[in-house]
Amino acid sequence: FQANVSCQFFSFCAEKWNTNEMATAAATICAAQEEEEDATILRFPKEFSTTETLFISEVKLLLEHRKSQNASVDDEQELSEVFQKTLEYAQRFSRFKNRETINAVRGRVTQQQDPELHKFEKAQLANLCPDTAEEARSLIPSLEGRLDDVELQELLDDLQTHRDHQG
């Protein structure tokens, strides 16, 4: 709301006083307003469109691999506190234990067609593992109106099956 009011104010001032500074401010504020992130409607910065979204379980595997590489080197470097805390977080909240299960889950959420899930939604479903369609929609508002309850519940049940049967 505030950005919209500011945008309107600066646009009005730029027209009224015809100054370059006001026009530049209006353009900057209006552009920022248009690019505002909002995960509930799947609006992300443009950098997000060219990157892969990882599951917390995938991050855990990557960090554990990096830690093991570091341990096997003769000149072992101490891992940073941020690295250690991130690894602890990933280990605590990882829903899937091994690469095979992770690949199966990624395959299952990627199979979802009509509508295809956004990569953010795929990652959120795998990271949060909601039990019900209602819970999924409350945690991931962008799912509202995109999948019917039966279809979403089938997907969630499949994810739960993968969690229950991992080695």
Side-chain angles (χ1 to χ4, degrees):
F1 172 75
Q2 185 177 7
N4 190 29
V5 170
S6 298
C7 183
Q8 291 172 350
F9 172 75
F10 279 111
S11 295
F12 169 78
C13 291
E15 288 175 21
K16 181 98 173 140
W17 290 290
N18 198 17
T19 65
N20 286 338
E21 293 84 13
M22 286 289 184
T24 301
T28 301
I29 289 173
C30 292
Q33 179 186 353
E34 290 173 11
E35 294 178 17
E36 188 174 325
E37 300 171 27
D38 188 349
T40 62
I41 58 171
L42 302 174
R43 183 185 304 148
F44 299 98
K46 57 186 162 208
E47 298 84 14
F48 194 80
S49 65
T50 59
T51 60
E52 184 60 47
T53 307
L54 297 176
F55 301 163
I56 293 172
S57 300
E58 292 169 317
V59 171
K60 177 184 139 275
L61 289 179
L62 290 169
L63 295 177
E64 287 175 343
H65 179 71
R66 173 66 179 98
K67 185 177 179 178
S68 70
Q69 280 183 320
N70 189 58
S72 67
V73 176
D74 291 337
D75 186 26
E76 185 176 329
Q77 295 180 336
E78 186 175 331
L79 298 171
S80 74
E81 183 180 348
V82 170
F83 180 94
Q84 293 291 352
K85 287 186 180 229
T86 304
L87 177 58
E88 289 170 16
Y89 177 92
Q91 288 170 332
R92 180 174 180 189
F93 293 105
S94 175
R95 302 288 190 213
F96 307 103
K97 296 178 183 177
N98 57 54
R99 179 168 287 138
E100 295 77 25
T101 303
I102 294 167
N103 288 340
V105 168
R106 183 163 290 282
R108 176 57 182 100
V109 294
T110 301
Q111 272 180 339
Q112 180 58 47
Q113 298 295 321
D114 198 26
E116 182 177 351
L117 294 172
H118 187 277
K119 61 185 169 183
F120 170 78
E121 294 168 323
K122 293 174 189 178
Q124 291 299 78
L125 287 170
N127 291 336
L128 300 171
C129 289
D131 291 324
T132 65
E134 180 182 357
E135 181 183 7
R137 284 193 178 85
S138 69
L139 293 171
I140 312 164
S142 61
L143 292 173
E144 191 65 48
R146 290 175 35 87
L147 294 168
D148 65 38
D149 283 348
V150 173
E151 195 172 21
L152 182 53
Q153 191 60 54
E154 281 179 14
L155 174 60
L156 297 175
D157 291 345
D158 288 349
L159 297 183
Q160 186 60 45
T161 299
H162 286 299
R163 273 187 76 190
D164 292 345
H165 294 96
Q166 44 190 338

